[in-house]
Amino acid sequence: MKPEVKKHGAMKRVWMVALTSLVVLAGCHSFKKENVQPPTPLAKDFKPTVQVTKLWTSSVGDGAGDSGVRLRPAFADGVLYACSTDGKIAAFDAASGKTLWSKSSRTQGWFGWGDKKRADALYAGGPAAAGDLVVVGTLDGHIYGINAKDGSPRWESVVNSEVISAPVISGNLVVARTQDGRLYGFDSSNGERRWVYDQDTVPLLSLRGNGPLMVANGVVFYGSDAGKLVALRLDNGEKLWEQSLASGEGRTEIERLSDADGSILLQGNTLYSAAYHGNLAAVDGPSGRPLWSRPFSTFTSLDVNNNAIYGVNDDSQVWAFDKNGGADMWKNDSLKYRWLTGPAVQGDYVVVGDLEGYVHWLQTGDGALAGRERLSKKAIRAQPLVVGDTVYVEDVKGRIGAYRLGAR
């Protein structure tokens, strides 16, 4: 399995695949042919130490399909929202999995406009949900505002490129990011554009994917394709500061890849973020001043609890670091080359999905494998979503599973 790499230029969707140790999280067929390490076999004598209960499963359309995006459900007020690149969006009761509403949009634009021969609403960015609003972006450069109660359309905005990461809803603004490096602020009531921020430079070559945006204290934080952690004012998109997470150095374009495609974490005033071919870093949120940094290459999201930061490196080894200084706490390599999702903390466990549809639970204290379930036979690319005592996992074909842990 290899990484999918995007090449910027006149063509929005000209992608090249790197025949190196980089990894994609979908579409793997022959490891020998592609000269990539095969996934570590799962131990057949594994004995779980935690009870995993599957609460329900459901599905939405064809999921992410072959798009390479990491579609992840969104939760708000007891409802789970999910979408697919073939134009399906649905709301589920988060406790039971019952479908509350489902909409399908394929031709003539979502509001009945456009070329009848062209499919629209190729949902790939999101969804995001807050209050009575759901927002989702598409592969063909649209942002849609949707009524959370019944899925009816509220507004539409057009942008210049693909939207493949979830927008953020914050008060009266929606912030969205596009593949060409721009961030947009929209009025959440009608979709009117309020501001746009254009990065100074976007690398010629970068991994396919954008990390999720984070909004806190009137600031938008995001990781760039050039390996930088950037802070913008929420009200007008003005850049406040940026901090490098990777040097972008190397002999080849592949070696110089330095995307910061994972989530940004915030505890107190401290931000935590990481980059491919770069570092895991702690940064003071108000000033952008670096607090500590250590080498750690990843293209997935991190998670954190009271004591530790958890990450999956580019060989799919799961790590835990002391959040106060970045020192190693433990490493688990029993899932190496299984091209894991970013980790999510569920109580005393870290949960990840893999390329064969398995979901794994590791103890937060020492990294020991504690539980395993199989959602499907399809790859899981998106970081699991933990809400309370339940974790929601989605595979690339749109199958969603809800799991809860109990004493064994």
Side-chain angles (χ1 to χ4, degrees), residues 261-272:
D261 278 347
S263 57
I264 297 164
L265 309 175
L266 176 66
Q267 283 206 334
N269 288 327
T270 303
L271 299 163
Y272 302 95

Side-chain angles (χ1 to χ4, degrees), residues 70-339:
R70 291 174 283 192
L71 286 176
R72 186 188 193 208
F75 175 91
D77 300 324
V79 179
L80 201 71
Y81 301 92
C83 62
S84 66
T85 55
D86 61 333
K88 307 294 193 302
I89 186 164
F92 305 92
D93 181 275
S96 67
K98 177 184 176 181
T99 301
L100 303 177
W101 55 258
S102 178
K103 300 291 181 180
S104 178
S105 303
R106 288 296 296 159
T107 57
Q108 301 183 46
W110 203 47
F111 289 88
W113 305 330
D115 186 345
K116 292 183 179 180
K117 297 180 181 180
R118 180 178 62 86
D120 195 10
L122 307 176
Y123 301 127
D132 63 351
L133 179 65
V134 174
V135 179
V136 63
T138 75
L139 290 174
D140 63 349
H142 288 80
I143 310 285
Y144 293 120
I146 300 168
N147 191 314
K149 293 183 179 180
D150 59 12
S152 59
R154 291 177 58 172
W155 50 259
E156 172 186 8
S157 291
V158 178
V159 291
N160 294 331
S161 184
E162 297 174 309
V163 182
I164 62 172
S165 62
V168 172
I169 304 169
S170 181
N172 62 355
L173 282 176
V174 170
V175 184
R177 178 180 182 177
T178 54
Q179 274 286 77
D180 60 1
R182 293 182 174 91
L183 274 74
Y184 298 83
F186 301 97
D187 189 305
S188 61
S189 65
N190 57 20
E192 181 179 341
R193 185 182 300 181
R194 295 301 186 193
W195 55 260
V196 60
Y197 170 76
D198 193 354
Q199 295 182 43
D200 295 332
T201 57
V202 176
L204 176 66
L205 201 66
S206 63
L207 299 178
R208 177 137 174 91
N210 290 149
L213 305 171
M214 187 189 72
V215 174
N217 304 317
V219 181
V220 181
F221 301 97
Y222 77 97
S224 78
D225 289 335
K228 297 181 184 297
L229 175 59
V230 184
L232 309 177
R233 283 183 51 163
L234 175 61
D235 58 350
N236 62 12
E238 176 187 346
K239 184 165 75 173
L240 298 173
W241 55 258
E242 67 177 40
Q243 185 61 239
S244 292
L245 301 172
S247 67
E249 297 177 352
R251 297 180 62 183
T252 68
E253 286 190 79
I254 297 298
E255 292 175 346
R256 290 192 291 271
L257 288 169
S258 57
D259 302 56
D261 278 347
S263 57
I264 297 164
L265 309 175
L266 176 66
Q267 283 206 334
N269 288 327
T270 303
L271 299 163
Y272 302 95
S273 188
Y276 187 63
H277 289 163
N279 298 300
L280 167 65
V283 176
D284 177 69
S287 67
R289 177 175 58 88
L291 302 176
W292 56 258
S293 178
R294 56 150 300 139
F296 185 66
S297 177
T298 184
F299 45 82
T300 64
S301 290
L302 309 168
D303 206 355
V304 64
N305 64 9
N306 291 333
N307 303 311
I309 302 167
Y310 304 93
V312 172
N313 71 5
D314 50 16
D315 283 334
S316 279
Q317 297 165 307
V318 186
W319 288 73
F321 305 100
D322 179 2
K323 74 173 191 179
N324 293 317
D328 300 357
M329 295 177 65
W330 53 257
K331 178 182 73 171
N332 185 311
D333 59 7
S334 61
L335 303 174
K336 193 174 182 180
Y337 304 130
R338 296 193 66 82
W339 310 130

